[in-house]
Amino acid sequence: MKKITLLFTALMVIPASWAYGQNFIKALVKDAETDSPLMGATSSVEGTTIGASANEDGYMELTNIPDGKQVIHFRYVGYHEEMMELTFPRSSSDTLLVLLKPDQEEMDEVMITSTRSSRTIADSPTRVEAISGEELAEKGNMKPGDIRMLLNESTGIQTRQTSTTSYNSSIRIQGLDGKYTQILKDGYPLYSGFSGGLSIMQIPPLDLRQVEVIKGSASTLYGGDAIAGLINLVSKRPSEQRELSFMGNGTTARGLDLSGFYSQKFNTVGATVFAAYNHGSPYDPSDVGLTAIPEFDRFTLNPRLFIYFNEETTLHIGFNGTYENRVGGDVRYFNGDVDNEELYFEENKTNRFSTQLGVNHILNETSRITFKNSISFYDRAVTIPDYSFGGLQTSSFSELSYSNSNETLEWVAGLNQWTDQFTEDETDGMTPARNHNEYIFGGFLQNTWNATNQLTLESGLRGDYQNNYGFFVLPRLSALFRFSPDITSRVGFGMGYKTPSIFTEDAERIQFRNVMPIDRDNTKAEESFGGNVDVNYRTTLFSNQIGFSLNQLLFYTRIDNPLAIVSLPNNHLGFRQANGYLDTRGTETNIKLDYNHFKLFIGYTFTNAREHYEGTTSDFPLVAKHRLNNVLIYEIEDNLMVGLEAYYFSPQRLPNGSTSRSYWLHGLMIEKKWEHFSLFINFENIFDVRQTRFDSIYTGSITDPEFLDLYAPLDGFVTNGGIKIRL
């Protein structure tokens, strides 16, 4: 009887198990806007351990789904989650089409323009980093007047203050001098030479859509100057939905920032207008008698006009005007109660005016032609007691390019021309005029090839003729390997060059005093080669509750024939090429965790920049060998954002051979949002870390100071806050 009962039970259970196992669904997961498949998208059955991930074509299959009503979750990092309630067994076995909508802030971070391709960061063989979304908004709240902080708090990037009293600063990528980094605005090279000395202190971030960073040589598309890397500042463009916003910000250091932005697209015309006023007051938190923040007034106006002739042809015209008067020095200089001529001061008067013209014409479904032109005028005068240096820099850039793309190949080819003329104001009679007149003719070709589903290759070649230094050939090669939906890797190699110039960090620090012109007959261009390898891993943890990504980068760059300032007879200084080379190598580690409303960013940079001169090797000065970036953000979309930051800088070798101390910087930012306005407050450098608390910043008397190199902040703890209005 027992055997009969067991047999009967088995006969009942087996069909039931078959029925259970026969419940399955097939799904195709795509981007709702681009209709492209989302490889690596995941799905799960609520309340079970059943799940699946999409293949390279976006297809997935879930099996062994229980009978009854079940909720299926579809997820992809950077997209809004989609949920479906289905009843099993289903009456149809059709494949479900699942369209995931991009989370706009996340997607803004991955769409790029620097590579002149329709690819996202994830699909580009060239390693590109983008600062946008909530990170760009957060940095804008902290420092609305310039992009110094925005760049300094990124892995692999360090800004250096070149003036103790006027806050002039330059940027270093992977430990290399600022002259090796090219800064673009919407693809136009507007900040170089004399105009690069104050560039990052005169660019407001509030009209930017994103900031794109390529580390390492980016020579093919943008020229040899991008030895250490390239920074492209991408402006907002008009859309059919009007944007009208205003911002007011005040600081405990007696600073004021006011700005406004307007953008709208009509049928055939669109426009954007950005205007800003930035003010700083003399500020000396350490009571040493010198300004940590100078007195300055800056006005910025940047209108752009877009004309849409038809669906194929677009024209945009813009200009940028900036006026600033920046004065730092002895705080008594600003009081008017003593003879100002006997006190130390440093005054920078700058006028910047540039135009941009661009035409884009679509020839057919696969090809287009683009023309760009910019003209820039930069008038600057630097004055200290008993000395003044100034002049007018006039530069231009023109480019004609053609691009063609299909499913397998993308081509970009072009011709461009740079001109750069500097005319110095009257000299002191002791130093010859440091005028120059240079031009470069260049041609480039770049190909991106989808060799297989797992491999994409990008190769490029540039040829440049420079009127003083001859012809340069610059090859570049990058590869993207897709080992799995979660693991990718990039390998890149490139070459570059830098034509000699007196406009360097070291010359800026001494206001170009006694610096002789470049001896072009006995000077060669600096030439470089370098490469990088990275691995990127992305997944979800704990039943898809936490998004996790890891990027590990290894980099190396070598520069031959580096120029350095040396002492000459009669107290003069000149640039001479060292017998040796300069190189930098290291690693960058970037980790990101997403959980619900929380985002955690952790970045570590190891930079070993060294000088190899005359058979002797030493660390390149003023480079933190170890950097640690920690940012925790809590954000409820369109409601609240709170950011906590902690940054570590290791000891740095100083030019005099000594070593600085290490330090941490901490910050807290809070923004509360409503429909049409938001309030924000930021506490920067909470623990008041200042170089003046643990080291000197000058020797000699305060009326005739000899300034020492800076490696830590001078302004200390500063609070700022304000309001944003959106109409």
Side-chain angles (χ1 to χ4, degrees), residues 489-529:
S489 176
R490 291 176 178 83
V491 178
F493 167 84
M495 300 177 66
Y497 70 94
K498 176 67 181 178
T499 55
S501 169
I502 68 166
F503 301 115
T504 67
E505 292 180 7
D506 292 333
E508 276 275 352
R509 188 176 65 85
I510 56 176
Q511 296 84 33
F512 305 95
R513 189 171 191 170
N514 298 327
V515 176
M516 298 292 286
I518 298 292
D519 182 6
R520 292 187 174 86
D521 293 335
N522 296 297
T523 307
K524 298 185 294 184
E526 302 174 71
E527 298 186 65
S528 75
F529 66 87

Short mmCIF file of all heavy atoms in Angstrom, two decimals, residues 489-529:
data_model
loop_
_atom_site.label_atom_id
_atom_site.label_comp_id
_atom_site.label_asym_id
_atom_site.label_seq_id
_atom_site.Cartn_x
_atom_site.Cartn_y
_atom_site.Cartn_z
N SER A 489 38.57 47.16 -20.74
CA SER A 489 39.92 47.68 -20.54
C SER A 489 40.30 48.55 -21.73
O SER A 489 39.87 48.29 -22.86
CB SER A 489 40.93 46.53 -20.39
OG SER A 489 42.26 47.02 -20.28
N ARG A 490 41.12 49.58 -21.46
CA ARG A 490 41.62 50.46 -22.52
C ARG A 490 43.14 50.52 -22.46
O ARG A 490 43.73 50.55 -21.38
CB ARG A 490 41.06 51.87 -22.37
CG ARG A 490 39.58 51.98 -22.65
CD ARG A 490 39.09 53.39 -22.38
NE ARG A 490 37.68 53.52 -22.70
CZ ARG A 490 36.69 53.18 -21.89
NH1 ARG A 490 36.97 52.67 -20.70
NH2 ARG A 490 35.44 53.34 -22.24
N VAL A 491 43.73 50.55 -23.62
CA VAL A 491 45.17 50.72 -23.75
C VAL A 491 45.40 51.86 -24.74
O VAL A 491 44.79 51.88 -25.82
CB VAL A 491 45.86 49.43 -24.25
CG1 VAL A 491 47.36 49.65 -24.43
CG2 VAL A 491 45.58 48.28 -23.31
N GLY A 492 46.27 52.81 -24.38
CA GLY A 492 46.50 53.94 -25.27
C GLY A 492 47.95 54.35 -25.31
O GLY A 492 48.70 54.18 -24.34
N PHE A 493 48.37 54.89 -26.45
CA PHE A 493 49.73 55.38 -26.65
C PHE A 493 49.67 56.59 -27.55
O PHE A 493 48.86 56.65 -28.49
CB PHE A 493 50.62 54.31 -27.29
CG PHE A 493 51.93 54.84 -27.80
CD1 PHE A 493 53.00 54.98 -26.94
CD2 PHE A 493 52.08 55.23 -29.12
CE1 PHE A 493 54.22 55.49 -27.39
CE2 PHE A 493 53.29 55.74 -29.59
CZ PHE A 493 54.36 55.87 -28.71
N GLY A 494 50.51 57.61 -27.27
CA GLY A 494 50.54 58.79 -28.12
C GLY A 494 51.82 59.58 -27.96
O GLY A 494 52.59 59.38 -27.01
N MET A 495 52.06 60.49 -28.91
CA MET A 495 53.22 61.36 -28.89
C MET A 495 52.77 62.80 -28.96
O MET A 495 51.66 63.10 -29.41
CB MET A 495 54.16 61.03 -30.06
CG MET A 495 54.68 59.60 -30.05
SD MET A 495 55.72 59.21 -31.48
CE MET A 495 57.13 60.28 -31.16
N GLY A 496 53.62 63.70 -28.51
CA GLY A 496 53.29 65.11 -28.52
C GLY A 496 54.53 65.97 -28.56
O GLY A 496 55.66 65.48 -28.50
N TYR A 497 54.34 67.28 -28.64
CA TYR A 497 55.46 68.22 -28.60
C TYR A 497 54.97 69.54 -28.00
O TYR A 497 53.77 69.84 -27.98
CB TYR A 497 56.04 68.46 -30.00
CG TYR A 497 55.14 69.25 -30.92
CD1 TYR A 497 55.26 70.63 -31.04
CD2 TYR A 497 54.15 68.62 -31.68
CE1 TYR A 497 54.43 71.36 -31.87
CE2 TYR A 497 53.33 69.33 -32.52
CZ TYR A 497 53.46 70.71 -32.62
OH TYR A 497 52.64 71.42 -33.44
N LYS A 498 55.90 70.32 -27.50
CA LYS A 498 55.60 71.63 -26.95
C LYS A 498 56.66 72.61 -27.42
O LYS A 498 57.86 72.41 -27.20
CB LYS A 498 55.60 71.58 -25.42
CG LYS A 498 55.40 72.94 -24.75
CD LYS A 498 54.01 73.49 -25.02
CE LYS A 498 53.83 74.85 -24.37
NZ LYS A 498 52.50 75.45 -24.66
N THR A 499 56.24 73.66 -28.13
CA THR A 499 57.19 74.66 -28.58
C THR A 499 57.62 75.53 -27.41
O THR A 499 56.80 75.86 -26.54
CB THR A 499 56.59 75.53 -29.69
OG1 THR A 499 55.37 76.11 -29.24
CG2 THR A 499 56.31 74.69 -30.93
N PRO A 500 58.88 75.92 -27.33
CA PRO A 500 59.38 76.71 -26.19
C PRO A 500 58.66 78.04 -26.03
O PRO A 500 58.33 78.71 -27.01
CB PRO A 500 60.86 76.92 -26.54
CG PRO A 500 61.20 75.77 -27.44
CD PRO A 500 59.95 75.52 -28.24
N SER A 501 58.42 78.42 -24.77
CA SER A 501 57.71 79.66 -24.45
C SER A 501 58.15 80.13 -23.08
O SER A 501 58.46 79.32 -22.20
CB SER A 501 56.20 79.42 -24.49
OG SER A 501 55.50 80.53 -23.95
N ILE A 502 58.15 81.43 -22.88
CA ILE A 502 58.48 81.97 -21.55
C ILE A 502 57.29 81.87 -20.60
O ILE A 502 57.45 82.09 -19.40
CB ILE A 502 58.96 83.43 -21.63
CG1 ILE A 502 57.79 84.35 -22.04
CG2 ILE A 502 60.14 83.59 -22.56
CD1 ILE A 502 58.08 85.82 -21.82
N PHE A 503 56.12 81.53 -21.12
CA PHE A 503 54.91 81.56 -20.29
C PHE A 503 54.74 80.21 -19.58
O PHE A 503 54.03 79.32 -20.04
CB PHE A 503 53.69 81.90 -21.15
CG PHE A 503 53.82 83.24 -21.82
CD1 PHE A 503 53.90 83.34 -23.20
CD2 PHE A 503 53.91 84.40 -21.06
CE1 PHE A 503 54.04 84.56 -23.82
CE2 PHE A 503 54.05 85.64 -21.68
CZ PHE A 503 54.11 85.73 -23.06
N THR A 504 55.44 80.10 -18.46
CA THR A 504 55.42 78.89 -17.64
C THR A 504 55.07 79.24 -16.21
O THR A 504 55.02 80.42 -15.82
CB THR A 504 56.80 78.20 -17.67
OG1 THR A 504 57.75 79.04 -16.99
CG2 THR A 504 57.27 77.94 -19.09
N GLU A 505 54.83 78.20 -15.39
CA GLU A 505 54.52 78.42 -13.98
C GLU A 505 55.64 79.17 -13.27
O GLU A 505 55.39 80.09 -12.48
CB GLU A 505 54.31 77.07 -13.28
CG GLU A 505 53.07 76.32 -13.71
CD GLU A 505 52.94 75.00 -12.97
OE1 GLU A 505 53.73 74.76 -12.04
OE2 GLU A 505 52.05 74.21 -13.32
N ASP A 506 56.89 78.79 -13.52
CA ASP A 506 58.01 79.41 -12.82
C ASP A 506 58.17 80.88 -13.20
O ASP A 506 58.51 81.72 -12.34
CB ASP A 506 59.30 78.65 -13.13
CG ASP A 506 59.31 77.26 -12.51
OD1 ASP A 506 58.62 77.07 -11.49
OD2 ASP A 506 59.98 76.37 -13.05
N ALA A 507 57.94 81.21 -14.47
CA ALA A 507 58.03 82.60 -14.89
C ALA A 507 56.87 83.42 -14.33
O ALA A 507 57.03 84.59 -13.96
CB ALA A 507 58.07 82.69 -16.41
N GLU A 508 55.69 82.83 -14.28
CA GLU A 508 54.54 83.50 -13.67
C GLU A 508 54.82 83.85 -12.21
O GLU A 508 54.45 84.92 -11.73
CB GLU A 508 53.30 82.60 -13.75
CG GLU A 508 52.54 82.65 -15.05
CD GLU A 508 51.54 83.79 -15.10
OE1 GLU A 508 51.33 84.45 -14.06
OE2 GLU A 508 50.98 84.02 -16.18
N ARG A 509 55.47 82.93 -11.51
CA ARG A 509 55.70 83.13 -10.07
C ARG A 509 56.54 84.37 -9.79
O ARG A 509 56.38 85.02 -8.76
CB ARG A 509 56.37 81.89 -9.49
CG ARG A 509 56.49 81.88 -7.98
CD ARG A 509 57.08 80.57 -7.48
NE ARG A 509 58.45 80.39 -7.92
CZ ARG A 509 59.52 80.89 -7.29
NH1 ARG A 509 59.36 81.62 -6.19
NH2 ARG A 509 60.73 80.67 -7.74
N ILE A 510 57.45 84.72 -10.73
CA ILE A 510 58.30 85.89 -10.53
C ILE A 510 57.88 87.05 -11.43
O ILE A 510 58.66 87.99 -11.65
CB ILE A 510 59.78 85.53 -10.79
CG1 ILE A 510 59.96 84.94 -12.19
CG2 ILE A 510 60.28 84.55 -9.73
CD1 ILE A 510 61.42 84.65 -12.54
N GLN A 511 56.64 87.01 -11.92
CA GLN A 511 56.06 88.07 -12.75
C GLN A 511 56.90 88.37 -14.00
O GLN A 511 56.93 89.50 -14.49
CB GLN A 511 55.84 89.36 -11.95
CG GLN A 511 54.86 89.25 -10.82
CD GLN A 511 55.51 88.71 -9.55
OE1 GLN A 511 56.69 88.96 -9.28
NE2 GLN A 511 54.73 87.99 -8.76
N PHE A 512 57.68 87.38 -14.49
CA PHE A 512 58.48 87.46 -15.71
C PHE A 512 59.64 88.46 -15.58
O PHE A 512 60.25 88.84 -16.58
CB PHE A 512 57.61 87.83 -16.92
CG PHE A 512 56.44 86.92 -17.13
CD1 PHE A 512 55.19 87.23 -16.61
CD2 PHE A 512 56.58 85.73 -17.81
CE1 PHE A 512 54.11 86.38 -16.77
CE2 PHE A 512 55.51 84.87 -17.99
CZ PHE A 512 54.27 85.20 -17.46
N ARG A 513 59.94 88.84 -14.37
CA ARG A 513 61.00 89.83 -14.16
C ARG A 513 62.38 89.23 -14.48
O ARG A 513 62.72 88.15 -14.00
CB ARG A 513 60.98 90.32 -12.71
CG ARG A 513 61.90 91.51 -12.45
CD ARG A 513 61.66 92.08 -11.08
NE ARG A 513 62.33 93.36 -10.92
CZ ARG A 513 62.14 94.19 -9.90
NH1 ARG A 513 61.31 93.86 -8.93
NH2 ARG A 513 62.79 95.34 -9.83
N ASN A 514 63.15 89.94 -15.31
CA ASN A 514 64.51 89.55 -15.71
C ASN A 514 64.55 88.26 -16.54
O ASN A 514 65.62 87.70 -16.75
CB ASN A 514 65.42 89.39 -14.49
CG ASN A 514 65.58 90.68 -13.71
OD1 ASN A 514 65.57 91.76 -14.28
ND2 ASN A 514 65.72 90.55 -12.39
N VAL A 515 63.42 87.80 -17.03
CA VAL A 515 63.39 86.60 -17.87
C VAL A 515 63.70 86.99 -19.31
O VAL A 515 63.00 87.81 -19.90
CB VAL A 515 62.02 85.90 -17.78
CG1 VAL A 515 61.97 84.71 -18.73
CG2 VAL A 515 61.75 85.45 -16.36
N MET A 516 64.73 86.40 -19.86
CA MET A 516 65.16 86.73 -21.21
C MET A 516 64.30 86.01 -22.25
O MET A 516 63.66 84.99 -21.97
CB MET A 516 66.63 86.32 -21.39
CG MET A 516 67.58 87.06 -20.46
SD MET A 516 67.70 88.82 -20.86
CE MET A 516 68.69 88.74 -22.36
N PRO A 517 64.27 86.52 -23.49
CA PRO A 517 63.52 85.83 -24.56
C PRO A 517 64.10 84.45 -24.84
O PRO A 517 65.25 84.16 -24.52
CB PRO A 517 63.70 86.76 -25.76
CG PRO A 517 64.18 88.06 -25.22
CD PRO A 517 64.92 87.76 -23.96
N ILE A 518 63.29 83.62 -25.48
CA ILE A 518 63.76 82.30 -25.90
C ILE A 518 64.80 82.44 -27.00
O ILE A 518 64.60 83.18 -27.98
CB ILE A 518 62.57 81.44 -26.41
CG1 ILE A 518 61.55 81.22 -25.28
CG2 ILE A 518 63.06 80.11 -26.96
CD1 ILE A 518 62.01 80.35 -24.17
N ASP A 519 65.92 81.75 -26.83
CA ASP A 519 66.96 81.71 -27.86
C ASP A 519 66.58 80.62 -28.88
O ASP A 519 66.99 79.47 -28.76
CB ASP A 519 68.32 81.43 -27.22
CG ASP A 519 69.45 81.41 -28.23
OD1 ASP A 519 69.19 81.74 -29.42
OD2 ASP A 519 70.58 81.05 -27.85
N ARG A 520 65.79 80.98 -29.86
CA ARG A 520 65.22 79.98 -30.77
C ARG A 520 66.27 79.28 -31.61
O ARG A 520 66.10 78.12 -32.01
CB ARG A 520 64.17 80.65 -31.67
CG ARG A 520 62.93 81.10 -30.91
CD ARG A 520 61.84 81.60 -31.86
NE ARG A 520 60.62 81.89 -31.13
CZ ARG A 520 60.37 83.04 -30.53
NH1 ARG A 520 61.27 84.01 -30.58
NH2 ARG A 520 59.25 83.24 -29.88
N ASP A 521 67.38 79.97 -31.89
CA ASP A 521 68.41 79.34 -32.72
C ASP A 521 69.10 78.19 -32.01
O ASP A 521 69.67 77.31 -32.66
CB ASP A 521 69.45 80.38 -33.14
CG ASP A 521 68.88 81.43 -34.08
OD1 ASP A 521 67.89 81.11 -34.77
OD2 ASP A 521 69.40 82.56 -34.10
N ASN A 522 69.06 78.19 -30.68
CA ASN A 522 69.74 77.16 -29.92
C ASN A 522 68.78 76.36 -29.03
O ASN A 522 69.19 75.79 -28.02
CB ASN A 522 70.84 77.79 -29.05
CG ASN A 522 71.92 78.44 -29.88
OD1 ASN A 522 72.62 77.78 -30.63
ND2 ASN A 522 72.03 79.76 -29.76
N THR A 523 67.52 76.35 -29.42
CA THR A 523 66.50 75.67 -28.62
C THR A 523 65.66 74.77 -29.51
O THR A 523 65.29 75.16 -30.63
CB THR A 523 65.58 76.68 -27.91
OG1 THR A 523 66.38 77.61 -27.18
CG2 THR A 523 64.64 75.97 -26.95
N LYS A 524 65.38 73.58 -29.04
CA LYS A 524 64.53 72.64 -29.76
C LYS A 524 63.18 72.54 -29.05
O LYS A 524 63.04 72.90 -27.88
CB LYS A 524 65.19 71.26 -29.82
CG LYS A 524 66.51 71.22 -30.56
CD LYS A 524 67.02 69.80 -30.67
CE LYS A 524 67.38 69.23 -29.30
NZ LYS A 524 67.98 67.87 -29.41
N ALA A 525 62.19 72.03 -29.76
CA ALA A 525 60.89 71.77 -29.14
C ALA A 525 61.02 70.60 -28.16
O ALA A 525 61.83 69.69 -28.36
CB ALA A 525 59.84 71.46 -30.20
N GLU A 526 60.24 70.64 -27.11
CA GLU A 526 60.14 69.52 -26.19
C GLU A 526 59.26 68.45 -26.84
O GLU A 526 58.17 68.77 -27.34
CB GLU A 526 59.55 69.96 -24.86
CG GLU A 526 60.34 71.06 -24.17
CD GLU A 526 59.65 71.57 -22.92
OE1 GLU A 526 59.59 70.83 -21.92
OE2 GLU A 526 59.15 72.71 -22.95
N GLU A 527 59.71 67.21 -26.82
CA GLU A 527 58.95 66.12 -27.44
C GLU A 527 58.64 65.05 -26.41
O GLU A 527 59.43 64.81 -25.48
CB GLU A 527 59.73 65.54 -28.61
CG GLU A 527 59.98 66.56 -29.72
CD GLU A 527 60.62 65.95 -30.95
OE1 GLU A 527 59.95 65.11 -31.60
OE2 GLU A 527 61.77 66.30 -31.25
N SER A 528 57.50 64.39 -26.59
CA SER A 528 57.04 63.45 -25.57
C SER A 528 56.48 62.18 -26.19
O SER A 528 56.10 62.16 -27.36
CB SER A 528 55.96 64.09 -24.71
OG SER A 528 54.73 64.16 -25.42
N PHE A 529 56.45 61.14 -25.38
CA PHE A 529 55.67 59.95 -25.70
C PHE A 529 55.16 59.38 -24.38
O PHE A 529 55.75 59.59 -23.31
CB PHE A 529 56.49 58.91 -26.48
CG PHE A 529 57.63 58.31 -25.70
CD1 PHE A 529 57.44 57.20 -24.88
CD2 PHE A 529 58.90 58.85 -25.77
CE1 PHE A 529 58.48 56.65 -24.17
CE2 PHE A 529 59.96 58.30 -25.07
CZ PHE A 529 59.75 57.20 -24.25
#
